[in-house]
Amino acid sequence: TEGLGYGENTKAAVIRLGFMEMKTFIYEFFGDRDPQEATFLESCGVADLITTCYGGRNRKIGLALATTDKPVIELERELLGGQSAQGVLTASEVNTMLHARGLEDSFPIFTVIHHICQRKEKATNFINCIKLHPAHDD
């Protein structure tokens, strides 16, 4: 959100909606493994989400995706010394799973992030995704 000129309140809304999508995704794809609600509140859940949003390689790449037209591979070379931004790879894997079940519209944040990483959509479309998120209808 920072790369698009939005502040902390918008980032908080994105974290909340993203967390909701993460939980829904886990129950959709791994519900047969009886995921525990408490797991989402541990380090591997919301804590990791917050850390990712406020620092690290994925944040650097996210800011650059919002402020440049460069492809991810070039951004990784320039900003990360050739290391990969794991979030880009994860977004692609998650999208493959969603696409296989026809669920991309049910996970608008996951879907738009993947499209932005692949440069199929402009980062400015992200805010519309947040404004029109189906969670607002609940």
Side-chain angles (χ1 to χ4, degrees):
T1 56
E2 299 156 66
L4 298 172
Y6 293 89
E8 297 303 314
N9 288 337
T10 303
K11 185 183 281 190
V14 169
I15 291 171
R16 180 182 71 83
L17 293 169
F19 185 64
M20 291 170 65
E21 282 194 19
M22 287 171 56
K23 287 177 61 176
T24 302
F25 180 87
I26 294 299
Y27 287 119
E28 173 69 33
F29 288 89
F30 304 102
D32 60 329
R33 299 181 191 179
D34 194 30
Q36 301 300 302
E37 189 73 21
T39 303
F40 296 108
L41 301 177
E42 294 180 9
S43 311
C44 62
V46 72
D48 189 52
L49 175 62
I50 292 168
T51 300
T52 298
C53 291
Y54 282 93
R57 291 180 286 175
N58 289 319
R59 181 177 173 276
K60 285 181 185 179
I61 294 298
L63 280 168
L65 285 167
T67 57
T68 74
D69 289 326
K70 296 178 182 178
V72 169
I73 191 124
E74 187 176 332
L75 294 172
E76 288 174 334
R77 188 173 56 253
E78 290 176 7
L79 300 173
L80 307 179
Q83 292 183 335
S84 75
Q86 189 61 43
V88 175
L89 301 172
T90 301
S92 179
E93 292 169 358
V94 165
N95 188 262
T96 297
M97 295 170 73
L98 294 174
H99 183 74
R101 291 195 187 176
L103 292 173
E104 290 157 303
D105 289 344
S106 298
F107 293 85
I109 293 175
F110 287 3
T111 300
V112 77
I113 292 295
H114 171 67
H115 290 167
I116 291 167
C117 290
Q118 300 304 311
R119 295 304 202 189
K120 294 178 181 175
E121 251 185 273
K122 293 281 187 192
T124 52
N125 293 344
F126 182 72
I127 294 302
N128 284 334
C129 168
I130 300 307
K131 289 178 182 176
L132 301 173
H133 198 282
H136 299 307
D137 297 335
D138 294 340

